[in-house]
Amino acid sequence: MDRRTFLHLLGKGALVSSVAGLFPDLLFGQSAFDLGLQGQELIQNGEYAKAVEVLQKAVAMDPSSDWAYGLLGRAYRGLGKTAEAVDAFRQALRINPEDTYSRWMVEMMTQKPIPKLPKKEKPRSPLELQAEEEEKRVLGRLASKESLEYQVKRVVVDAGHGGFDSGAVGLSGLKEKDVTLELATRLHRRLEAGGRVKSFLTRTGDYYIPLSDRTAVANQYQADLFISIHINANENRKANGSETYYCAEKASNQEAARVAEFENSVLKFDEEFKKEEGFISIEEILFHFEQRMYWKESGSFAGRFQEKFKTDLPFRSRGVNSANFFVLRRAKMPSILLETGFISNPEDESKLKTPAFLDRVADSVFRGIA
Ligand SMILES: [Zn+2]
């Protein structure tokens, strides 16, 4: 079996299941990590009850694994057992207070639903009025001088991919998900060390988070900037350089459309965005008014960012482009996606393995934001 087929099967979970069927004890009877992997797989297949069973064994075996507790929380959530889910996510947080995803889950699930407002047959509903107020407020802020000196106070840094979703893979086997985590962690530390910005990571380890949840985390924390870090790949091994993207309905060119298609491809594994009565309606109406403004603001931020970024960055600048990136789509703040270098370019791939080089890239992104 060649590597491509192997990775493909691994991504689909087919290999893990078939090997598990042959040697159940060899693969899954041994460590908490193996049980965690099996639990993650069951969650992806929607087999939540089985996942709970396996993950309970995993946390009993290794009570220090925030990853396993986070998965247990997701499995309980899938079963609709909110109390148990909150408990598991809280445990994950106790072990790793930086686990933003578990924190968000706890906050979301313990939040009381907003009571439904009575419907009125008027030209303007209270919700629409609220949405218009919000629009005026945001427009006012964007138009004022304040926006020129827009101070970023909360940044959510998203390491692209994770878990079963490796992202792009280089010739020597370097995985995009590992490089993005290295870069995101470095950027997070620099932002925090600067002292003027509060930074949050969407993931702190090698696990998968649905695309829609990544921006939902940023929305929940009322972040001022969302930055998703990725590494590009192309069949043309010579392709190189770094690009800054922002979200738009239409791609700015064919290459941008191709990149977005790749980054969105994992979407088929995501659960559909869950609608909650009396909650989503306000969200949707506000969002309808705001989305375009945020995208416009993202475009101008991307431009200013790339101007600074390109003078600093140890890669050739490929400029700013836009496309429909699902991970950015629902952000209620300026949001950008970086493609820093090409993992498919052997020269870039070997650089991306060097801690000193990753430091340089993180420094450039940090200065771009600052
Ligand atoms: Zn990616």
Side-chain angles (χ1 to χ4, degrees):
M1 196 186 302
D2 67 18
R3 256 194 68 251
R4 186 176 272 269
T5 318
F6 176 80
L7 286 170
H8 181 72
L9 287 173
L10 198 64
K12 290 204 175 291
L15 191 70
V16 176
S17 328
S18 62
V19 174
L22 291 171
F23 315 103
D25 289 324
L26 185 73
L27 197 64
F28 295 125
Q30 303 298 311
S31 72
F33 179 72
D34 292 333
L35 289 168
L37 283 181
Q38 195 188 7
Q40 181 160 286
E41 164 113 6
L42 289 165
I43 290 171
Q44 273 146 33
N45 296 334
E47 297 177 67
Y48 299 116
K50 274 190 203 164
V52 164
E53 209 176 294
V54 169
L55 291 163
Q56 271 173 339
K57 278 185 210 158
V59 298
M61 212 178 270
D62 181 8
S64 68
S65 170
D66 55 321
W67 172 66
Y69 272 109
L71 286 170
L72 183 59
R74 280 173 63 186
Y76 274 128
R77 187 166 176 251
L79 281 179
K81 293 191 172 179
T82 308
E84 287 86 347
V86 168
D87 205 51
F89 283 124
R90 282 208 173 114
Q91 195 56 40
L93 265 180
R94 260 175 235 133
I95 300 163
N96 177 10
E98 297 221 320
D99 183 347
T100 316
Y101 184 73
S102 292
R103 187 176 299 279
W104 172 62
M105 280 291 166
V106 169
E107 284 175 14
M108 192 182 65
M109 287 192 290
T110 52
Q111 206 174 47
K112 290 205 175 82
I114 296 164
K116 256 186 166 176
L117 292 165
K119 272 189 185 168
K120 282 178 191 166
E121 297 306 314
K122 276 167 134 191
R124 289 272 192 280
S125 74
L127 292 183
E128 283 168 328
L129 285 172
Q130 196 183 338
E132 277 172 23
E133 279 299 306
E134 180 69 13
E135 187 192 14
K136 269 185 219 158
R137 193 185 63 76
V138 177
L139 269 178
R141 181 170 62 75
L142 294 183
S144 71
K145 271 196 173 172
E146 191 194 331
S147 108
L148 294 173
E149 298 142 30
Y150 192 60
Q151 293 283 314
V152 174
K153 287 170 199 126
R154 286 176 183 215
V155 179
V156 168
V157 182
D158 174 46
H161 312 277
F164 73 91
D165 172 23
S166 303
V169 182
L171 269 180
S172 80
L174 187 66
K175 292 175 182 146
E176 180 183 358
K177 65 169 183 178
D178 296 326
V179 184
T180 59
L181 185 62
E182 287 288 332
L183 284 173
T185 308
R186 281 171 162 79
L187 176 60
H188 168 71
R189 289 202 194 113
R190 277 160 181 74
L191 289 166
E192 288 280 281
R196 283 166 53 203
V197 167
K198 184 80 195 131
S199 161
F200 302 91
L201 287 165
T202 52
R203 69 175 174 100
T204 53
D206 183 19
Y207 46 85
Y208 179 70
I209 294 180
L211 293 183
S212 58
D213 284 5
R214 296 174 190 245
T215 31
V217 168
N219 293 343
Q220 180 74 9
Y221 286 94
Q222 302 185 347
D224 303 285
L225 177 67
F226 177 81
I227 174 164
S228 187
I229 297 176
H230 290 258
I231 313 296
N232 215 334
N234 199 304
E235 281 178 4
N236 172 8
R237 301 255 170 226
K238 284 180 184 159
N240 66 82
S242 178
E243 254 159 322
T244 302
Y245 283 98
Y246 65 96
C247 196
E249 292 290 354
K250 270 187 126 183
S252 53
N253 57 47
Q254 263 192 336
E255 171 64 6
R258 185 196 66 81
V259 171
E261 196 189 340
F262 178 79
E263 300 298 4
N264 292 342
S265 61
V266 75
L267 205 59
K268 58 180 178 284
F269 294 106
D270 288 3
E271 292 171 64
E272 215 178 310
F273 197 74
K274 286 208 176 73
K275 292 193 176 195
E276 282 169 45
E277 279 294 320
F279 176 73
I280 204 73
S281 52
I282 295 175
E283 291 294 294
E284 285 304 322
I285 292 172
L286 288 175
F287 198 59
H288 171 79
F289 284 101
E290 290 171 9
Q291 194 171 42
R292 270 155 218 261
M293 275 184 300
Y294 292 128
W295 289 1
K296 208 176 141 203
E297 182 78 347
S298 299
S300 73
F301 179 83
R304 281 173 290 159
F305 175 82
Q306 186 74 10
E307 272 308 300
K308 172 71 190 145
F309 194 43
K310 74 179 183 194
T311 59
D312 241 28
L313 186 75
F315 284 119
R316 178 176 77 86
S317 168
R318 295 168 65 94
V320 175
N321 275 296
S322 61
N324 194 351
F325 287 95
F326 197 82
V327 69
L328 304 181
R329 230 188 127 74
R330 300 193 68 86
K332 298 177 179 180
M333 75 237 24
S335 60
I336 56 171
L337 183 144
L338 300 180
E339 295 280 0
T340 54
F342 281 73
I343 208 163
S344 51
N345 178 312
E347 229 173 274
D348 283 4
E349 187 189 7
S350 67
K351 284 184 193 165
L352 288 167
K353 286 179 190 168
T354 330
F357 187 80
L358 294 171
D359 281 336
R360 272 182 70 192
V361 177
D363 276 336
S364 314
V365 181
F366 173 70
R367 281 193 290 267
I369 294 170

